[in-house]
Amino acid sequence: SSGINAEYGESNSSNRDLLTMGRMHSGGKGISSSALPYRRSVPSWQKLTDTDVKEYIYKMAKKGIPPSQIGVILRDSFGVAQVRWLTGNKILRILKAKG
C-alpha cells in the first residue's frame, strides 16, 4: 500500500508538505489578495442606473450566463464595481425575485 499511493500522499502523512503549493525556496505561501473599498457608495462616475443594471442582468441570465459571470461582465464592460452597491441586492437575489 505504500507504493504509488504514498507518492500522491494518500496513505503517508509525511508527504503532506510536498502536496501544499507554495514557494520553492522559502516557507511562505502568501496571503495577499484584492480587497473591496470600505465605502459602499456608488462612484460618482457611474452612469448606469439600477434599472439599467437589472435589465442587463435579466438579458444575460436569459442567455444562460451564470450569476458569477454576469458580475464579471458588468465589471469589465460597464464599470459596475459591485451590483449590490448599485441595486441593493446581489445578482442571484435579483434573479430569484424576478422568477
Side-chain angles (χ1 to χ4, degrees):
S1 72
S2 65
I4 290 178
N5 289 342
E7 187 178 336
Y8 291 106
E10 291 175 9
S11 64
N12 193 352
S13 63
S14 66
N15 285 339
R16 190 174 295 130
D17 57 340
L18 295 175
L19 295 174
T20 55
M21 298 296 288
R23 301 273 160 256
M24 279 180 70
H25 302 297
S26 66
K29 290 186 190 64
I31 58 167
S32 67
S33 62
S34 62
L36 293 175
Y38 179 72
R39 192 177 50 180
R40 290 190 177 97
S41 58
V42 179
S44 58
W45 45 262
Q46 184 69 55
K47 298 287 188 261
L48 292 176
T49 63
D50 61 333
T51 52
D52 294 338
V53 170
K54 286 181 181 179
E55 289 302 316
Y56 282 124
I57 290 172
Y58 298 149
K59 285 179 188 174
M60 286 188 250
K62 225 174 187 66
K63 292 180 184 176
I65 302 172
S68 57
Q69 286 301 113
I70 292 174
V72 170
I73 292 169
L74 288 173
R75 183 197 65 200
D76 295 343
S77 301
F78 300 103
V80 177
Q82 289 287 310
V83 171
R84 190 178 36 153
W85 297 346
L86 200 63
T87 61
N89 274 324
K90 298 179 179 181
I91 295 174
L92 191 62
R93 287 185 182 160
I94 292 170
L95 293 174
K96 281 184 178 176
K98 172 84 184 230

